[in-house]
């Protein structure tokens, strides 16, 4: 990745771009929503399609010259249908948040009621946080996870739903390490005659291979980001039953977007194509095995995991039992100095501000992309545990930093 043209015309930006490549190479990306896409996906994303206006849909555009845009978008749609078994797919949302916006826009009126998971319990801003458009446009209440088990108390959510009578139930989460029971949530939506949106942003890849049960076919709408576990570059996607297709199409354009980011749609097509390869199933199985190895070793070090472990690509560590005076932010900052990049995260029953938080969230998708196996992830867990025990100890940070360098050298990226 030389960026030679940028270097020629704009050295300042070229330096930053090259710096970012080096940063990704030299550090361990453990932010659970991040990943490294292939160079093929990046090439598609930086293609000449960035120049093309393709308002509309394949075969029915407002402007001429869309024959290649049509080809690319149709490939993305067909591959997505194959990956997730969806009747209807729209690959135009700019990101996961816009995919959610499209579904709300298609199915709800302003002021309608949404029931979703609280952000501090693992929900997402676009599920109706007061500072987000969804919180301003709709009437939102939140359910929570049980602070003792870290899992859902479905009877309680059902009672909440029957009291609130939402027009839409939103499921799918940013920091929930366990398998989600879509059928049980669907029964709650059915009982109050609500639409059900399952936002699988984080677990698109796991759902595609069957490593996590699929909500497609059970719920009304499924949304996702395409840059997390599916590795298809930055973007969003909506899937639904055929009957909702026209409403979603027009919610996106003319409803909320102009021209689709066709270069990103090309990235999606390439990334989805890669995910249809059987090697992607092995990748996802390894992601989950790695998260379990990481979590098990963290627990052996005396750290507590929300729900006691993971079924997915991430672990959520609650520091309050083992290190009550250490915040998630303390750990995030100390680890970043060693080259391990993850994020402070709120935990169920959080008492600190979300900027400080009492937990950390760690994911294995990006490590697995660069070839980490379970044993390497146990080494990473050892590093994390040592820093959590002594976040202020510079000597420890230096030792861990050397271990990170060795791990990085053994698993080259790009
Ligand atoms: C990441 C995420 C999104 C979408 O985020 P974008 O940055 O807009 O792609 C939506 N919902 C959940 C649950 C997420 O974790």
């Amino acid at each position: 990745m030389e960026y030679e043209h940028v270097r020629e015309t704009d050295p300042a930006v070229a330096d930053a771009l090259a710096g970012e490549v080096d940063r990704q190479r030299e550090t361990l990306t453990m932010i659970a929503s991040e990943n490294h896409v292939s160079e093929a996906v990046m090439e598609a994303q930086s293609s000449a399609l960035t120049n093309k206006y393709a308002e509309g849909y394949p075969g029915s555009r407002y402007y001429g010259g869309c024959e290649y845009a049509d080809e690319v978008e149709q490939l993305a749609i067909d591959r997505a249908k194959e990956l997730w078994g969806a009747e209807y797919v729209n690959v135009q949302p700019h990101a996961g948040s816009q995919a959610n916006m499209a579904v709300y826009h298609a199915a709800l009126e302003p002021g309608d009621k949404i029931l979703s998971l609280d952000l501090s319990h693992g929900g997402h801003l676009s599920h109706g946080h007061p500072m987000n458009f969804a919180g301003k446009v709709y009437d939102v209440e939140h359910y929570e996870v049980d602070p003792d088990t870290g899992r859902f108390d479905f009877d309680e959510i059902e009672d909440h739903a029957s009291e609130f009578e939402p027009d839409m139930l939103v499921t799918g989460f940013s920091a929930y390490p366990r398998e989600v029971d879509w059928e049980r949530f669907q029964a709650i939506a059915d009982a109050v005659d609500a639409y059900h949106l399952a936002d699988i942003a984080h677990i698109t890849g796991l759902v595609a291979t069957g490593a996590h049960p699929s909500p497609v076919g059970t719920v009304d709408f499924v949304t996702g980001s395409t840059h997390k576990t599916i590795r298809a570059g930055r973007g969003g996607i909506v899937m639904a039953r055929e009957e909702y297709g026209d409403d979603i199409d027009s919610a996106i354009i003319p409803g909320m977007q102009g021209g689709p980011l066709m270069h990103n749609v090309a990235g999606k097509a390439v990334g989805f194509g890669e995910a249809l390869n059987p090697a992607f199933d092995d990748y996802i199985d390894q992601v989950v095995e790695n998260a379990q190895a990481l979590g098990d070793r963290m627990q052996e070090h005396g750290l507590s995991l929300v729900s006691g472990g993971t079924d997915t690509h991430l672990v959520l560590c609650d520091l309050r039992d083992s290190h009550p005076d250490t915040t998630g932010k303390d750990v995030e900052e100390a680890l970043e100095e060693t080259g391990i990049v993850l994020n402070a995260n709120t935990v169920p029953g959080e008492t600190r501000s979300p900027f400080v938080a009492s937990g950390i969230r760690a994911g294995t998708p990006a490590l697995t992309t660069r070839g980490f196996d379970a044993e390497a992830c146990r080494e990473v867990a050892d590093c994390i545990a040592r820093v959590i025990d002594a976040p202020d100890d510079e000597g420890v940070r230096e030792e861990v930093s050397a271990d990170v360098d060795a791990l990085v050298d053994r698993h080259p990226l790009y």
Side-chain angles (χ1 to χ4, degrees), residues 26-144:
E26 290 160 16
T27 60
L28 300 183
T29 295
M30 297 191 75
I31 293 174
S33 50
E34 293 187 2
N35 211 329
H36 307 289
V37 298
S38 70
E39 289 182 81
V41 169
M42 283 195 277
E43 234 171 76
Q45 283 194 310
S46 60
S47 65
L49 275 172
T50 195
N51 299 329
K52 186 70 200 107
Y53 253 112
E55 283 170 309
Y57 291 97
S60 151
R61 307 280 191 185
Y62 289 91
Y63 299 140
C66 284
E67 60 267 38
Y68 299 109
D70 282 4
E71 259 175 50
V72 161
E73 183 166 349
Q74 197 58 52
L75 281 168
I77 291 169
D78 293 344
R79 289 172 182 174
K81 284 182 175 173
E82 198 177 335
L83 272 174
W84 288 286
E87 289 177 13
Y88 161 86
V89 166
N90 192 308
V91 293
Q92 291 194 7
H94 299 337
S97 298
Q98 286 70 31
N100 289 339
M101 187 187 252
V103 169
Y104 302 150
H105 200 35
L108 303 176
E109 295 296 329
D112 277 358
K113 295 191 241 177
I114 292 176
L115 181 63
S116 62
L117 181 66
D118 191 275
L119 180 66
S120 71
H121 283 241
H124 189 262
L125 284 170
S126 62
H127 295 180
H129 186 275
M131 291 180 70
N132 184 270
F133 77 91
K136 295 184 201 287
V137 174
Y138 305 103
D139 175 9
V140 181
E141 287 193 9
H142 294 304
Y143 54 94
E144 301 186 339

Side-chain angles (χ1 to χ4, degrees), residues 215-294:
V216 176
T218 299
V219 311
D220 298 295
F221 306 99
V222 177
T223 55
S225 304
T226 52
H227 44 270
K228 297 183 182 177
T229 47
I230 196 68
R231 291 196 304 203
R234 198 149 291 274
I237 187 169
V238 179
M239 299 175 242
R241 283 205 285 276
E242 192 60 55
E243 64 190 282
Y244 300 124
D246 289 345
D247 288 341
I248 298 281
D249 279 353
S250 61
I252 291 176
I253 172 157
M256 51 176 273
Q257 289 184 182
L261 309 177
M262 286 312 301
H263 52 302
N264 282 4
V265 171
K268 291 171 197 182
V270 173
F272 296 164
E274 290 174 0
L276 283 166
N277 189 307
F280 187 76
D281 292 38
D282 300 338
Y283 162 69
I284 289 290
D285 288 347
Q286 192 67 51
V287 166
V288 175
E289 189 187 326
N290 284 353
Q292 285 165 351
L294 178 83

Side-chain angles (χ1 to χ4, degrees), residues 120-121 144-153 156 176-178 299 304-309 316 318 320-321 347-350:
S120 71
H121 283 241
E144 301 186 339
V145 298
D146 183 324
D148 295 326
T149 62
R151 297 182 190 239
F152 296 112
D153 179 340
E156 201 179 301
Y176 186 70
R178 293 299 185 178
Q299 287 178 303
S304 296
L305 298 188
V306 172
S307 83
L316 188 57
D318 185 341
R320 290 174 303 185
D321 292 338
V347 289
E350 182 61 72

